Amino acid sequence: MSATTATPSAVEGIKTRSRRLRGTLLESLANEVTGAISDDDTQLIKFHGSYMQDDRDLREERRAAKLEPDYSFMIRTRLPGGVVTPRQWLGLDAVATRFGNGTLRLTTRQAFQFHGVIKRELKATLQAINAALIDTVAACGDVNRNVMAGVNPLQSALHARIHDDAAKLSEFLKPKTRAYYEIWLDEEKVAGSGEEYEPIYGEVYLPRKFKVAFAVPPYNDVDVFANDLGFIAIVENGELLGYNVVAGGGLGATHGEPATYPRLADLLGFVAPDRVNAIAEAVIRTQRDFGNRSDRKHARLKYTIDDRGLDWFRGEVERRFGAPLRPARPFRFEHNGDRFGWVEGTNSRAHLTLRIEAGRVADRGEHTHLTALRRIAQIHADGNSGLQFRLTPNQNLLIANVPNEGRAEIDEIVAEHRLDLYRSATPLRLNALACVALPTCALAMAEAERYLPDFTGKVEALLDRHGLRDARIHLRLSGCPNGCSRPYLGEIALIGKAPGRYNLMLGADTRGQRLNRLHRENVDEAQILAALDELFAHYAAERTRAEAFGDFLVRAGVLAEAHYKVIPVTLLESSLTAA
């Protein structure tokens, strides 16, 4: 059922008629006249882990030549916690070089994206991904997407337990329809095909996408408060006691529509580890039944909570959960970035975090990063060493569980292929995030990934001028206001408005607990750099010892009064009182 009485959106109708996400995908794939699929199928294929795109750099040229757009498909994996073996890495590398554009992209949700796959090779690509024992089911669409989990190499045993909880929840929330397996993997249809019972999602799935993350204090690398549902691990003496539950986060917005906005999640309470699936089901069923199905821009869980009230929401979740939530436990986050270089582990093991700019693993000139990681994976492909690749939520890569005797060889490969940016880059460059944006994202209004290196260099020059080169400032670029690079949690963020023009957002913290605010609207590069130059001068002269840039801007009164909620640093006062 749905609490809304307004007319359902067109997408709701597509889902209703889809026969559990099958639609006419088989017919679209068989149509050799076009490189596209039908309009309805462009919505349904998202549930299978893919988006149809076209190269926007070529649109006008192809239109002038009376050709259809240069269509291709982006494919995203479902990879709970972002962990893969060397053999799986090699399988995905082969997919990227055989079917994609020769690059692997690491996303801010710890998944891989493949770009440039053409329609006639789409099925073969998905089969190759599945052959690596990885799938793309529900990586996109109006369902729970990839479940994130904090990357913490200093707590290997604890990380393994939390990763296991994340993986089990991901599997629990996977849609029950067999459409994916029939269409892409040639599974034989059985009785009831197209009528599968979806106990959690119902006949038309969720009103909008849903995101889940697991954080392990003191690190908030997953930006847990930006998710629809978050689990914050509560640990005492190395033992996992349970999780604080947060709900209602989300960073998407639309320019010029104040009814859309970024929001940080609310703290609901505490659950034992064995109750994770049950509380997640209660939250998702509540959103399923009361989320807005008429306006997709107002359909995320954050709006359901704001429209009906947090007390109502908590009560409805507890009713479905079958018990009141226990009071939340104290915790504290220190930062939401990655730690680079080698970190000593246990049992003669070590972990190396590499900087992957904008998450793009590619061979470009002397920077042959794809080849470097392929070589490392080949050396450890037999699995005997126990080495793993872990994607971080900040578009970087952690090579985990490296035997001490293997460190020198990895260092040599990393240096030879110029994958050692972490040794020399400024903190600004190490921590910067960017979404894909142009030329493939249909929503992009301005550049992001392609602009990041150049813009970062210009900001570094300003920092040098003011003696701030070593300042750890979080920079995030987004080609549109939808939030894939989590821009609203950047101390400095550019959000695309038009080609070459951005909204300049300032003032988030470095713990993921305070949203930034609009400082300058619809400005070009010269205006952005002038504004930052002035602010860096004040920061250099007036900051207190170890004061972060975002915190300084708030303390100094540079920014207007906050319109967005701030999560208390320790969550020991106001947020806990509400629980």
Side-chain angles (χ1 to χ4, degrees):
M1 67 177 179
S2 175
T4 181
T5 58
T7 302
S9 70
V11 175
E12 292 299 301
I14 292 170
K15 290 186 289 183
T16 300
R17 299 187 300 270
S18 72
R19 296 177 298 116
R20 299 296 189 272
L21 308 180
R22 290 166 175 84
T24 58
L25 276 167
L26 285 173
E27 291 82 352
S28 283
L29 293 172
N31 184 352
E32 298 180 356
V33 175
T34 175
I37 57 178
S38 74
D39 288 345
D40 285 5
D41 289 338
T42 62
Q43 295 296 328
L44 297 177
I45 201 170
K46 297 176 185 178
F47 291 83
H48 301 254
S50 182
Y51 280 80
M52 188 175 78
Q53 302 178 329
D54 75 281
D55 189 333
R56 293 173 60 181
D57 286 348
L58 302 177
R59 276 186 184 177
E60 291 305 317
E61 175 185 332
R62 293 181 67 85
R63 182 180 292 116
K66 299 184 178 179
L67 297 172
E68 73 173 6
D70 183 25
Y71 290 117
S72 65
F73 292 81
M74 180 273 283
I75 300 172
R76 184 181 296 152
T77 61
R78 183 176 66 97
L79 196 70
V83 177
V84 294
T85 66
R87 187 170 294 277
Q88 287 175 316
W89 182 279
L90 290 174
L92 298 177
D93 177 305
V95 169
T97 53
R98 165 65 180 84
F99 299 108
N101 65 357
T103 72
L104 282 170
R105 195 171 196 279
L106 317 184
T107 78
T108 53
R109 294 204 64 78
Q110 295 181 294
F112 291 96
Q113 283 185 181
F114 303 89
H115 292 264
V117 178
I118 60 176
K119 187 176 78 171
R120 67 172 177 268
E121 293 186 333
L122 189 54
K123 184 172 181 178
T125 306
L126 288 170
Q127 290 179 341
I129 293 171
N130 276 265
L133 303 182
I134 295 170
D135 65 46
T136 67
V137 177
C140 319
D142 298 344
V143 287
N144 173 63
R145 299 190 177 184
N146 196 48
V147 178
M148 301 171 71
V151 179
N152 189 350
L154 292 183
Q155 297 174 286
S156 296
L158 186 63
H159 177 275
R161 168 62 196 275
I162 294 168
H163 175 268
D164 187 56
D165 286 345
K168 288 178 178 176
L169 181 59
S170 176
E171 191 66 22
F172 179 68
L173 298 178
K174 188 170 73 171
K176 306 305 180 187
T177 174
R178 303 303 297 178
Y180 179 89
Y181 304 94
E182 291 176 8
I183 293 170
W184 309 109
L185 306 181
D186 296 325
E187 179 180 270
E188 185 176 349
K189 293 182 180 180
V190 297
S193 176
E195 300 177 356
E196 294 93 338
Y197 176 53
E198 293 280 11
I200 296 176
Y201 295 119
E203 294 183 2
V204 285
Y205 302 90
L206 296 180
R208 202 66 170 79
K209 60 187 175 184
F210 195 91
K211 298 180 178 180
V212 179
F214 287 72
V216 188
Y219 309 110
N220 187 22
D221 50 355
V222 298
D223 277 332
V224 67
F225 297 107
N227 289 266
D228 295 270
L229 178 62
F231 294 93
I232 300 171
I234 303 300
V235 180
E236 286 186 8
N237 301 318
E239 179 184 355
L240 178 66
L241 302 184
Y243 297 96
N244 282 348
V245 181
V246 301
L251 299 186
T254 302
H255 288 314
E257 298 191 21
T260 69
Y261 45 83
R263 185 187 193 276
L264 296 182
D266 293 294
L267 187 62
L268 294 183
F270 174 87
V271 296
D274 63 354
R275 299 291 282 161
V276 164
N277 288 6
I279 192 64
E281 181 175 2
V283 170
I284 288 174
R285 282 174 172 258
T286 300
Q287 168 63 356
R288 177 197 70 190
D289 293 346
F290 293 96
N292 189 320
R293 291 187 180 271
S294 62
D295 181 0
R296 288 181 64 79
K297 293 181 180 179
H298 200 78
R300 292 286 295 277
L301 177 62
K302 59 183 177 180
Y303 301 120
T304 305
I305 293 176
D306 281 350
D307 290 346
R308 294 178 174 271
L310 181 60
D311 290 340
W312 172 90
F313 177 74
R314 181 184 284 109
E316 185 64 24
V317 167
E318 289 177 335
R319 183 182 71 80
R320 293 166 186 250
F321 183 58
L325 288 165
R326 292 153 64 183
R329 306 291 182 91
F331 68 94
R332 182 183 179 88
F333 286 128
E334 293 178 357
H335 66 80
N336 61 344
D338 291 335
R339 294 170 301 168
F340 295 93
W342 286 102
V343 175
E344 298 296 331
T346 57
N347 300 322
S348 300
R349 300 279 169 158
H351 316 283
L352 174 63
T353 302
L354 299 169
R355 171 59 177 158
I356 309 292
E357 196 162 44
R360 185 71 65 176
V361 183
D363 283 352
R364 292 171 175 163
E366 61 185 6
H367 297 270
T368 48
H369 299 170
L370 191 67
T371 298
L373 294 169
R374 183 186 303 138
R375 285 182 59 189
I376 294 171
Q378 288 170 338
I379 292 168
H380 296 272
D382 60 10
N384 292 334
S385 70
L387 180 145
Q388 295 176 330
F389 294 98
R390 298 180 184 175
L391 282 60
T392 83
N394 294 304
Q395 299 179 316
N396 298 311
L397 182 67
L398 188 145
I399 303 177
N401 298 327
V402 179
N404 280 344
E405 62 271 19
R407 287 178 56 167
E409 185 174 35
I410 288 178
D411 275 336
E412 182 179 337
I413 293 171
V414 165
E416 178 184 346
H417 294 276
R418 304 293 298 274
L419 191 51
D420 53 356
L421 180 65
Y422 72 92
R423 296 181 185 274
S424 58
T426 64
L428 180 83
R429 191 172 294 270
L430 287 176
N431 289 287
L433 302 182
C435 68
V436 173
L438 297 169
T440 54
C441 179
L443 301 176
M445 302 173 181
E447 295 281 2
E449 178 182 343
R450 296 194 297 193
Y451 184 40
L452 179 67
D454 182 58
F455 181 74
T456 302
K458 292 176 180 179
V459 177
E460 285 173 332
L462 297 180
L463 293 172
D464 284 343
R465 179 186 301 171
H466 298 289
L468 296 170
R469 185 173 184 81
D470 294 329
R472 181 169 178 162
I473 297 175
H474 287 190
L475 168 68
R476 299 183 177 183
L477 270 61
S478 179
C480 80
N482 284 286
C484 293
S485 58
R486 304 197 295 273
Y488 302 99
L489 286 169
E491 291 178 282
I492 302 171
L494 305 188
I495 297 177
K497 285 276 285 187
R501 304 190 73 87
Y502 299 85
N503 283 354
L504 174 60
M505 312 289 292
L506 299 173
D509 67 1
T510 57
R511 296 176 294 270
Q513 296 179 183
R514 181 178 66 236
L515 292 168
N516 56 25
R517 281 149 264 171
L518 178 65
H519 184 63
R520 296 283 189 272
E521 185 174 8
N522 196 25
V523 288
D524 62 18
E525 180 183 271
Q527 293 168 302
I528 293 167
L529 294 176
L532 292 178
D533 191 24
E534 180 180 354
L535 293 172
F536 289 158
H538 289 301
Y539 179 50
E542 303 168 18
R543 62 177 170 162
T544 61
R545 184 177 180 275
E547 185 175 28
F549 182 61
D551 294 340
F552 166 76
L553 295 177
V554 173
R555 179 182 64 80
V558 172
L559 303 173
E561 182 180 353
H563 296 292
Y564 307 136
K565 177 176 57 183
V566 177
I567 303 291
V569 171
T570 60
L571 291 118
L572 291 176
E573 299 173 358
S574 59
S575 290
L576 289 181
T577 302

